[in-house]
């Protein structure tokens, strides 16, 4: 995997994002770090991530976030079209599960050390 093409969307006050960033740095993996709240993933990146997660749109949402709960998305998401859900994510970085990492045509959300090692082709 090309190390220069990894886009890391995170939030600096998120401990999971900080742990993921430390994991990458400890392995010498350089990333393009993007503040997810200021610059949410593009619709194309969201579609890539959706494909990487078997089309399960709910996996892309930060379901424990304040915005998700305030918007009552647990009730609305099941009847929402995929296009509407992706548009909502592309407009509001607070709704996107983080960290959100894209490399080429693959992506991974959340942070699990062994899953990330597999994703990056590292020995765990």
């Amino acid at each position: 995997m090309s190390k220069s093409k990894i886009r890391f969307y995170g939030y600096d006050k998120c401990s999971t994002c900080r742990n993921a960033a430390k994991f990458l740095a400890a392995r010498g993996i350089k990333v393009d770090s993007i503040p997810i709240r200021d610059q949410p993933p593009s619709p194309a990146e969201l579609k890539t991530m959706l494909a990487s997660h078997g089309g399960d749109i709910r996996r892309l949402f930060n379901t424990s976030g304040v915005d998700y709960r305030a918007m009552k998305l647990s009730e609305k998401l099941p009847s929402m079209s995929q296009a509407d859900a992706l548009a909502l994510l592309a407009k509001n970085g607070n709704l996107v599960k983080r960290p959100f990492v894209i490399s080429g045509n693959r992506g991974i959300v959340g942070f699990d050390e062994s899953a990330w090692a597999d994703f990056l082709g590292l020995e765990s």
Side-chain angles (χ1 to χ4, degrees):
M1 173 174 297
S2 173
K3 293 179 183 178
S4 64
K5 295 187 180 188
I6 295 175
R7 294 178 55 91
F8 180 96
Y9 288 87
Y11 176 51
D12 60 357
K13 294 182 179 163
C14 168
S15 62
T16 304
C17 294
R18 289 192 307 266
N19 289 337
K22 286 178 191 173
F23 172 87
L24 295 169
R27 286 151 183 83
I29 298 171
K30 299 204 183 298
V31 300
D32 291 330
S33 188
I34 302 153
I36 198 165
R37 292 173 61 154
D38 299 331
Q39 183 183 339
S42 70
E45 290 171 321
L46 289 162
K47 286 179 184 176
T48 295
M49 188 66 76
L50 185 60
S52 291
H53 288 83
D56 183 359
I57 193 76
R58 189 174 181 279
R59 301 242 352 244
L60 304 189
F61 278 85
N62 176 11
T63 58
S64 62
V66 172
D67 287 8
Y68 183 87
R69 290 191 308 269
M71 295 172 76
K72 300 186 182 196
L73 288 173
S74 62
E75 299 167 15
K76 297 175 184 174
L77 194 57
S79 61
M80 191 179 290
S81 74
Q82 183 181 85
D84 287 346
L86 291 174
L88 189 59
L89 289 167
K91 289 178 187 164
N92 186 339
N94 290 337
L95 292 174
V96 182
K97 185 169 180 76
R98 57 187 185 246
F100 182 105
V101 173
I102 291 283
S103 181
N105 62 356
R106 299 180 335 123
I108 192 166
V109 292
F111 179 61
D112 174 89
E113 197 168 310
S114 64
W116 277 46
D118 288 344
F119 176 77
L120 297 165
L122 304 171
E123 292 183 27
S124 44

